[in-house]
Amino acid sequence: MFISAGWIPATLTGNVDVVNIASYPTRMTRSRKPPAMRPSSGDYHHGNLRQALLDAAHEQLCDAGIGAVGMREIARRVGVSHAAPYRHYANLDALLADLATSGFRELEQRFAHLPAIAEPEARFTAMAATYVEFASDRPQLWRLMFGDALDKTGHPQLLEVSQAVFANLQETLLALGVAAPAINEALAAWAMAHGVARLALDRRLDAHLNLAMDANTLVDTAARIFLAGLRNLR
């Protein structure tokens, strides 16, 4: 279903004493080299600061959840000044949007790398399982991608990639014989897989049952029930 700097060196200034060498007739003095310029402790040259920031943000997200992610802690983990992240991101929201965008791209790649499945129903079931698997592998990132922490309309790149993933689901449903544009059917399919993923993450699958059921079995059953319903509608 669907729907990771340069230095600013301080300038050395100072007055140069003018020496009258005529007052030293017996020897010449060597000029002393100025001390080499070094970046202040707050500056740090990083080969790929943007990616390092994303990695640190994802690490913090996994460690403590979305509410704990902050720019100062991200900068500390990367080893740069508190101001350095703002060279790439206007604020934390922009960084989180970029992180969510990377998550959608990974999910899109997982769909793209599914084995070639000619039979549409088998592909649909595989997509549902892949979505649940992604949520299990990247739980905090998945919550960021599909939670209410970000408004996708304020981040065009994030909106674009999330819509591309949704379009992938629509195409699969069209192959099943659903009439275009298959928006409602795609939303229903997403809700089905999303529900299984959420139940699994929240450990609710056995909350009211005496029968243990794993997420893989449940998503496969749910997908088959969904497909049976589609066949009855056609």
Side-chain angles (χ1 to χ4, degrees):
M1 250 38 29
F2 71 96
I3 113 152
S4 253
W7 290 342
I8 305 178
T11 302
L12 295 177
T13 62
N15 297 324
V16 178
D17 292 333
V18 178
V19 179
N20 184 357
I21 61 173
S23 62
Y24 298 89
T26 58
R27 62 180 183 140
M28 296 182 63
T29 59
R30 291 185 179 179
S31 61
R32 302 176 65 183
K33 292 183 180 180
M37 291 188 297
R38 293 182 298 175
S40 63
S41 59
D43 293 319
Y44 184 83
H45 179 72
H46 204 289
N48 191 345
L49 179 57
R50 177 182 167 277
Q51 187 58 52
L53 294 171
L54 285 175
D55 291 344
H58 184 249
E59 181 183 84
Q60 192 179 8
L61 180 71
C62 294
D63 287 347
I66 182 63
V69 180
M71 290 293 245
R72 290 176 69 89
E73 174 60 17
I74 291 170
R76 187 194 69 77
R77 290 181 183 228
V78 175
V80 296
S81 69
H82 295 155
Y86 295 98
R87 298 172 189 171
H88 292 273
Y89 298 103
N91 49 43
L92 178 62
D93 201 53
L95 193 157
L96 291 176
D98 204 7
L99 183 59
T101 298
S102 71
F104 276 107
R105 285 180 178 144
E106 180 183 344
L107 181 57
E108 187 175 32
Q109 286 298 309
R110 290 195 184 201
F111 288 153
H113 285 95
L114 283 173
I117 303 174
E119 207 284 305
E121 289 195 359
R123 177 168 178 79
F124 176 85
T125 302
M127 287 183 69
T130 298
Y131 182 86
V132 173
E133 182 182 57
F134 176 83
S136 176
D137 291 344
R138 304 275 191 271
Q140 294 297 346
L141 181 59
W142 179 84
R143 292 181 192 276
L144 173 66
M145 291 161 59
F146 297 104
D148 60 0
L150 292 169
D151 178 7
K152 292 183 178 66
T153 60
H155 304 282
Q157 197 172 35
L158 172 58
L159 181 62
E160 180 181 358
V161 70
S162 65
Q163 289 177 335
V165 175
F166 188 73
N168 193 328
L169 175 58
Q170 286 177 275
E171 291 172 5
T172 301
L173 286 164
L174 292 175
L176 286 166
V178 175
I183 293 176
N184 289 336
E185 292 83 357
L187 286 171
W190 173 32
M192 176 270 295
H194 193 85
V196 174
R198 185 62 185 266
L199 287 170
L201 288 185
D202 292 347
R203 302 182 183 279
R204 298 298 182 189
L205 290 180
D206 59 350
H208 305 290
L209 300 173
N210 293 324
L211 177 64
M213 179 177 288
D214 63 88
N216 293 331
T217 300
L218 181 57
V219 72
D220 182 72
T221 301
R224 286 190 285 107
I225 292 172
F226 185 90
L227 290 168
L230 280 183
R231 287 192 293 271
N232 289 333
L233 289 175
R234 293 201 296 267

